[in-house]
Amino acid sequence: MTVNEQVAVDHGLKKDEYKKICELLERIPNITELGIFSAMWNEHCSYKSSRLHLKKLPTKGKQVIQGPGENAGVIDIGDNDAIVFKIESHNHPSFIEPYQGAATGVGGIMRDVFTMGARPIANLNSIHFGSPQHKKTKNLLRGVVHGIGGYGNCMGVPTIAGQTSFDSSYNGNILVNAMTLGLVKQDKIFYSKAAGLNKPVIYVGSKTGRDGIHGASMASASFDEKIEEKKPTVQVGDPFTEKLLLEACLELMAGNSIIAIQDMGAAGLTSSSIEMASKGNLGIEINLNKVPCRESKMTPYEIMLSESQERMLIVLENGKEDEAKKIFDKWNLDFAVIGKTTKSKNIELFFDNEKVANIPVNTLVENSPIYDRKWKKAKIPKKNKIKKDDLKNLKIKDVLQKILSNPNICSKEWIWQQYDHTVMGDTIQKPGGDSGVVKVHGTEKAVAASVDSSAVYCWAHPLTGGKQVVCESFRNLISVGAKPLAITNCLNFGSPENEENMGEFVECVQGIGEACDYLKFPVVSGNVSFYNQTKEVGIKPTPSIGGVGLIKDYKKMITMDLKNIDNRVLVIGKTEGHLDQSLFARNILDEKNGPPPEVNLFNEKNNGETLLKLIDEGLIKSAHDVSLGGIITAISKMCIKGNKGIKLKKPKYLINEIEYFFSEDQGRYLVEITDKDYKKVADILNKNAVHFDDLGIINEKILYINDKTKVTIDELKTFNTSWLLDYMSK
């Protein structure tokens, strides 16, 4: 094929980008070279619209071993142990083909983790779908859930936590964000930087096919009416092969033969070889005839751009080839020496004894485009004037029923019951709590993890929403007794070429950065997913935050279920009665305007650290953070989990019942304590200037609200569990 400007445009490149390529090469690229540039310069691989802003995020801290720039982030959890973790998107593939899109998203993020030498110990996910009434939503939900479960379960890695939401902005573009945690010894961490000359470059894993070609480019484009034509760009996963690949790689890693290792994810052999060469300031020479292929007559273009799954690229020490091959033969995996490192600083490809590509590595990486996109600053919306009479006429039990059965609040048990959350035997807090928790096998330590997002808050005011979602992650970790250590983020937005969308991204990132910096909660890995839109209609801005924390003694872990009758429940943090953008305002009053609740970072840090002190001293019996749906929703879930009731009383504030119980003010927790510990707890809270309210006393099985309203625990369970079960059964 003759390469020209139109062919470049058809590959997703801009006209000026094609011109720049020709200038850098001092010639017109051939079709294979053009394909390589289109893969490396697309949004998904190059971060060309986001790099300027991502640099502003705090990425260092006492526990940080490896920040952004590697396959995954790494944090120190003591005793020579480290946690490797990352979250990534697989949005477009999952909308096109939900089962395989979600499955290969899980497979890809696990490879990112074990590429660094870590055995995966936990999976999480953040999945977002369109309106439940939309014709595609139910099938997409079913396919994605089955894909996540199908891959993770076969790999034998527990899925310990997640998040699911519904919003009409996802009707034409669902989000599937997958996260994995792995455990590794600090002296056995592996990196992707190639080193040394004439070192063998090894291909291992599955054979290369034609599936997934242009997958990375497709992920960097908006959807249109031709969406069905993009199905061939979706990769096909095989978890059983990945399990073999995991074990083979870890066995090889136990020795001293690996110089560098990189999984073949987005853009396949192209990105893996170029990233390794770039980090090592080397060249790589590859004979494409030696790449194991499962389809006949594959071209160099197809081999380089294929995104076939379950493949790795390794640079070995000289003389270690036979030793390594024996391991991969034992696990019945392909093993091929396909090239070597060189001093040329070029990626050189050979096929049928001809040189079919010769590109300086720096033109693909250092010289890739960086855009300082125009963006619009968001204005803080005016507060709504909610009429007190409208609130007085509401029956609180009816409101509670509507809130607890809302698709974004209701129990997601139908989803997580399809995931194996106990395999490996170290899960000590399963899905459904504030965070999932797994023990570090053979120690007293445990690792907590959660994943959170808040598209509504970010849409209303992205700077505040960015802060809030970090704080939500912070609170979810503290609620189980974990010290928050670091985050990974998956930033899902519309087109960066739209000034409003770009403004949402810039200000969300700013908010994330400010919160992470203040809370000493650094960003160690992540992913940006732009162009989440169909025909110019974009999603609400949706940054997903995966938080990781450490519990030094797992016996001190806290759960949210109410424990004992006659114990007391406190609200930690001040309730101001903020209803704008709350679940109550949007779903009961049908009010979609107004600002999100303010975020006070001092209070978030102070309240959280004080609660950790109380937990450490054994004064807290159960805890749950207050978020979507307010105090009444949080306490209802604690009642359901513990099969206990509570007699609630509203403090003598000026705000009314509805405002107190349904507002979504930030920085708050519900905690259960004994009467005998009340004074000690109150003294610590007062000493640290932490506001608290007495909420009520635990009873057998009735939720009383100011003596006027009572709801049985069975009613609460029905309210909360029936919607999703009914929805999926129809």
Side-chain angles (χ1 to χ4, degrees):
M1 179 185 289
T2 302
V3 172
N4 54 36
E5 188 179 84
Q6 186 56 52
V7 174
V9 170
D10 293 341
H11 276 71
L13 292 162
K14 306 293 185 185
K15 291 180 180 180
D16 60 336
E17 291 175 345
Y18 174 66
K19 183 180 178 182
K20 183 178 179 180
I21 291 167
C22 294
E23 289 173 353
L24 288 169
L25 292 178
E26 299 181 343
R27 58 180 172 83
I28 295 173
N30 63 39
I31 190 64
T32 301
E33 293 170 328
L34 183 73
I36 290 169
F37 271 103
S38 73
M40 294 302 296
W41 283 19
N42 66 48
E43 198 72 59
H44 189 77
C45 292
S46 73
Y47 292 75
K48 57 190 177 185
S49 298
S50 58
R51 270 188 282 170
L52 284 175
H53 304 283
L54 296 176
K55 289 177 180 179
K56 301 171 186 176
L57 292 172
T59 59
K60 297 180 180 179
K62 289 182 180 179
Q63 278 79 34
V64 178
I65 296 173
Q66 175 64 54
E70 266 294 342
N71 287 291
V74 189
I75 56 172
D76 180 0
I77 60 167
D79 310 309
N80 196 36
D81 292 324
I83 293 294
V84 179
F85 66 105
K86 189 181 181 183
I87 188 170
E88 271 203 347
S89 62
H90 229 223
N91 303 334
H92 286 46
S94 299
F95 187 66
I96 297 168
E97 215 304 303
Y99 183 94
Q100 288 295 349
T104 51
V106 173
I109 196 63
M110 280 196 281
R111 285 197 304 280
D112 280 340
V113 166
F114 75 74
T115 298
M116 299 198 68
R119 179 174 289 280
I121 59 171
N123 287 332
L124 301 89
N125 55 76
S126 179
I127 52 179
H128 305 263
F129 300 91
S131 165
Q133 288 74 44
H134 192 270
K135 61 183 181 180
K136 289 187 177 181
T137 296
K138 189 184 297 183
N139 286 335
L140 287 168
L141 173 61
R142 183 176 282 111
V144 166
V145 169
H146 288 168
I148 291 171
Y151 208 103
N153 294 353
C154 290
M155 283 291 293
V157 179
T159 299
I160 63 167
Q163 177 200 25
T164 305
S165 78
F166 299 87
D167 187 279
S168 59
S169 76
Y170 308 118
N171 283 350
N173 199 124
I174 65 173
L175 303 181
V176 176
N177 298 171
M179 177 177 171
T180 294
L181 281 69
L183 179 66
V184 67
K185 291 297 180 182
Q186 293 181 28
D187 55 0
K188 295 299 289 185
I189 299 170
F190 288 83
Y191 298 95
S192 58
K193 178 181 176 181
L197 298 178
N198 297 311
K199 303 294 183 181
V201 176
I202 313 296
Y203 173 115
V204 299
S206 291
K207 287 180 169 61
T208 294
R210 290 187 171 92
D211 53 311
I213 294 174
H214 292 303
S217 299
M218 176 269 294
S220 304
S222 304
F223 285 141
D224 54 31
E225 65 277 355
K226 297 180 179 179
I227 187 173
E228 289 297 315
E229 296 176 9
K230 297 181 180 181
K231 280 190 175 182
T233 64
V234 179
Q235 310 90 333
V236 178
D238 179 359
F240 298 104
T241 299
E242 178 137 330
K243 175 65 174 173
L244 300 178
L245 183 61
L246 163 67
E247 299 300 339
C249 286
L250 292 181
E251 185 174 340
L252 182 62
M253 288 167 170
N256 58 356
S257 59
I258 295 177
I259 296 173
I261 181 168
Q262 174 76 42
D263 84 294
M264 296 190 211
L269 187 54
T270 289
S271 62
S272 57
S273 58
I274 291 163
E275 286 174 17
M276 294 173 87
S278 174
K279 290 174 182 176
N281 197 29
L282 296 169
I284 285 183
E285 180 184 295
I286 296 175
N287 183 344
L288 295 177
N289 292 101
K290 294 184 177 181
V291 174
C293 294
R294 66 169 181 264
E295 298 183 52
S296 61
K297 297 182 180 179
M298 289 189 69
T299 65
Y301 178 97
E302 292 171 325
I303 294 169
M304 289 301 294
L305 295 182
S306 167
E307 293 185 12
S308 295
Q309 298 292 283
E310 296 86 39
R311 301 179 301 159
M312 293 280 191
L313 198 65
I314 303 173
V315 178
L316 283 181
E317 293 284 3
N318 292 110
K320 298 290 185 178
E321 298 93 327
D322 290 344
E323 177 187 325
K325 187 176 186 304
K326 285 179 183 177
I327 292 173
F328 286 89
D329 285 348
K330 182 181 78 172
W331 292 100
N332 199 30
L333 295 165
D334 277 287
F335 178 100
V337 181
I338 65 169
K340 64 182 180 181
T341 60
T342 69
K343 63 179 180 181
S344 70
K345 299 184 181 180
N346 285 14
I347 182 81
E348 298 174 273
L349 306 179
F350 294 84
F351 188 73
D352 289 347
N353 296 315
E354 291 184 16
K355 185 178 284 191
V356 294
N358 187 15
I359 308 172
V361 170
N362 66 349
T363 64
L364 294 161
V365 182
E366 288 90 346
N367 296 130
S368 64
I370 299 178
Y371 293 126
D372 187 3
R373 303 273 192 193
K374 292 181 179 179
W375 59 278
K376 287 185 179 178
K377 188 178 179 64
K379 295 179 181 178
I380 298 179
K382 292 182 180 179
K383 288 188 175 182
N384 290 307
K385 294 181 179 179
I386 296 171
K387 297 177 181 178
K388 302 294 183 183
D389 287 344
D390 291 344
L391 301 183
K392 287 179 182 178
N393 295 331
L394 294 170
K395 293 182 178 179
I396 199 165
K397 185 174 180 178
D398 293 342
V399 175
L400 180 59
Q401 179 176 356
K402 289 178 181 178
I403 293 295
L404 288 179
S405 60
N406 182 276
N408 291 322
I409 282 289
C410 74
S411 170
K412 305 303 189 299
E413 195 168 353
W414 178 88
I415 293 172
W416 57 257
Q417 278 191 337
Q418 298 180 61
Y419 307 148
D420 191 336
H421 44 268
T422 60
V423 66
M424 299 178 77
D426 288 321
T427 305
I428 56 174
Q429 189 157 171
K430 63 184 184 181
D434 287 296
S435 299
V437 184
V438 289
K439 289 189 296 184
V440 178
H441 199 75
T443 75
E444 294 183 345
K445 298 180 294 191
V447 177
S450 71
V451 62
D452 302 281
S453 66
S454 184
V456 168
Y457 290 171
C458 292
W459 171 78
H461 189 242
L463 178 63
T464 304
K467 293 179 187 178
Q468 188 278 334
V469 70
V470 173
C471 293
E472 173 73 5
S473 177
F474 187 79
R475 292 196 299 272
N476 278 334
L477 295 172
I478 285 174
S479 296
V480 300
K483 180 183 179 181
L485 295 182
I487 72 163
T488 180
N489 59 41
C490 191
L491 308 176
N492 308 277
F493 291 81
S495 170
E497 298 169 55
N498 177 292
E499 291 183 22
E500 288 186 1
N501 290 347
M502 193 65 201
E504 291 170 341
F505 173 81
V506 172
E507 293 198 272
C508 272
V509 169
Q510 183 184 339
I512 291 168
E514 288 180 15
C516 286
D517 187 52
Y518 193 91
L519 299 173
K520 306 302 178 192
F521 201 26
V523 182
V524 299
S525 59
N527 169 237
V528 177
S529 176
F530 278 133
Y531 297 99
N532 289 290
Q533 59 186 51
T534 297
K535 296 181 180 179
E536 309 302 320
V537 179
I539 63 166
K540 285 187 172 73
T542 312
S544 295
I545 301 295
V548 177
L550 178 66
I551 305 172
K552 288 185 177 180
D553 182 355
Y554 69 82
K555 294 186 289 296
K556 292 185 177 183
M557 181 188 73
I558 300 295
T559 57
M560 64 189 287
D561 51 300
L562 295 178
K563 301 299 188 297
N564 293 307
I565 293 167
D566 295 330
N567 278 354
R568 186 184 299 266
V569 176
L570 307 180
V571 183
I572 290 178
K574 184 73 178 289
T575 301
E576 302 284 357
H578 188 100
L579 288 177
D580 286 347
Q581 296 302 335
S582 67
L583 203 70
F584 172 86
R586 296 177 68 82
N587 292 276
I588 305 300
L589 303 180
D590 196 30
E591 179 56 74
K592 306 296 194 293
N593 298 313
E598 292 180 6
V599 175
N600 184 312
L601 293 174
F602 173 83
N603 287 343
E604 289 284 0
K605 188 176 184 183
N606 189 41
N607 294 359
E609 290 181 347
T610 303
L611 177 52
L612 273 183
K613 178 178 173 62
L614 293 171
I615 292 171
D616 189 59
E617 294 190 16
L619 299 171
I620 303 298
K621 305 305 175 185
S622 66
H624 184 32
D625 85 302
V626 181
S627 55
L628 201 62
I631 286 173
I632 195 77
T633 302
I635 194 62
S636 294
K637 290 193 173 185
M638 294 175 80
C639 289
I640 292 168
K641 287 281 187 181
N643 204 35
K644 302 282 191 306
I646 187 170
K647 190 172 184 179
L648 300 178
K649 60 177 182 179
K650 184 186 79 67
K652 295 178 180 179
Y653 291 178
L654 293 176
I655 59 176
N656 64 32
E657 258 184 7
I658 293 290
E659 289 173 311
Y660 185 78
F661 287 126
F662 291 97
S663 66
E664 294 179 10
D665 301 281
Q666 299 295 288
R668 297 179 298 162
Y669 305 82
L670 302 186
V671 298
E672 175 188 352
I673 63 171
T674 63
D675 253 359
K676 72 178 179 64
D677 288 331
Y678 178 82
K679 185 178 184 308
K680 190 173 182 181
V681 170
D683 286 347
I684 292 172
L685 291 170
N686 287 326
K687 181 181 178 182
N688 289 0
V690 175
H691 180 95
F692 70 96
D693 299 328
D694 279 315
L695 188 61
I697 305 297
I698 299 171
N699 63 50
E700 285 210 8
K701 285 192 178 182
I702 303 289
L703 171 66
Y704 293 96
I705 306 170
N706 283 343
D707 297 322
K708 294 181 290 185
T709 303
K710 68 176 185 179
V711 190
T712 67
I713 302 306
D714 286 341
E715 286 178 305
L716 288 177
K717 289 178 180 176
T718 300
F719 296 165
N720 194 230
T721 60
S722 58
W723 182 83
L724 187 56
L725 291 171
D726 290 346
Y727 179 70
M728 297 309 299
S729 66
K730 294 176 183 176

